[in-house]
Amino acid sequence: MRIGIIGAMDEEIHYMKQALDIYGESNYAKTTFYEGTYANKEVVLCKSGVGKVNAAVVTQLLVDRFNVTHIMFTGVAGALHPELEIGDIVISTSAMQHDIDASALSPHFPQGTIPMFGYESDFAADPSLVNLAEKAASKVSGVSVRMGRVLSGDQFIASRTLVEKYYQLFDGACIEMEGSAVAQTAFLNDVPFVVIRSISDKANGEAAVNFTEFTKLAAKRSSDMIEEMLKAI
């Protein structure tokens, strides 16, 4: 078993990097990959950078170069579900792109559907990893957890109108910029995955301020979750 762990930003891998016993460091596609152990588990940790392209590239590198058997994405997100508060955790049941839209081409391709793909566009997280994450959450003090769909797009959402739209259209729990790319790449490689997101903002008119203020707190909670999962896996 070899577990790939991805975060988009420095803050999202900072705590996990500190916890790892790192024995190797290498660079591919302008990305640094840290090989190490935690709780006697083999781990490869990397920062993808922001956005779906970056996330897909590093996910494929984890599979091809490092032969990971499982993938976990850790980091922060904006809330879509009205009951989510800053600091809460979302465990992905699935992930999909909210910003892919070929609906003008055909009614068979509603927004969120990957046209002519041949597979489901909503990528289901691995049930065993989801279950493991749920159990891990019970060991992290003060964390409220919600299971749900993670939405991804190459936009920072800071609009109450869009929050309501995406919640109603996709029944999304939270919104971010990488998870669905990780999910699709993992799916194409038959590698189990889960996305763990801690809420840093409400994806509304105050999102930019909240994101800056609460990113470190949210990232720490996501990292705590991953650490508990590694202990139990």
Side-chain angles (χ1 to χ4, degrees), residues 9-193:
M9 304 180 297
D10 286 323
E11 295 89 344
E12 294 174 328
I13 69 165
H14 171 74
Y15 298 105
M16 195 67 239
K17 185 179 174 184
Q18 286 188 321
L20 276 183
D21 182 10
I22 296 172
Y23 60 75
E25 185 175 321
S26 52
N27 288 274
Y28 298 102
K30 298 180 172 57
T31 301
T32 302
F33 294 82
Y34 303 96
E35 295 176 83
T37 59
Y38 182 84
N40 296 316
K41 309 301 189 308
E42 286 285 325
V43 173
V44 185
L45 174 70
C46 67
K47 180 186 78 171
S48 65
V50 173
K52 292 185 294 182
V53 172
N54 284 328
V57 168
V58 301
T59 303
Q60 192 64 53
L61 284 167
L62 284 170
V63 174
D64 289 344
R65 297 279 186 173
F66 298 96
N67 300 309
V68 299
T69 59
H70 300 73
I71 292 174
M72 302 177 186
F73 195 102
T74 176
V76 301
L80 289 181
H81 195 287
E83 294 180 8
L84 281 169
E85 299 295 339
I86 290 171
D88 289 351
I89 292 283
V90 173
I91 300 169
S92 68
T93 52
S94 67
M96 69 183 300
Q97 300 177 60
H98 67 77
D99 64 345
I100 189 165
D101 188 356
S103 57
L105 183 64
S106 168
H108 298 295
F109 305 137
Q111 185 174 348
T113 300
I114 303 170
M116 294 163 280
F117 181 54
Y119 300 98
E120 175 65 48
S121 300
D122 184 24
F123 300 99
D126 179 69
S128 61
L129 288 179
V130 171
N131 183 55
L132 193 69
E134 193 172 15
K135 290 179 179 177
S138 67
K139 298 181 180 180
V140 178
S141 176
V143 168
S144 178
V145 177
R146 178 170 291 277
M147 323 288 284
R149 177 177 292 126
V150 172
L151 301 184
S152 308
D154 288 317
Q155 303 165 337
F156 183 85
I157 301 301
S159 160
R160 289 184 177 88
T161 301
L162 288 177
V163 167
E164 184 175 346
K165 173 186 174 180
Y166 292 139
Y167 177 61
Q168 296 295 331
L169 186 60
F170 298 112
D171 190 28
C174 68
I175 195 161
E176 36 88 302
M177 300 176 72
E178 298 86 23
S180 68
V182 173
Q184 184 174 346
T185 308
F187 166 78
L188 291 171
N189 287 279
D190 295 314
V191 174
F193 81 92

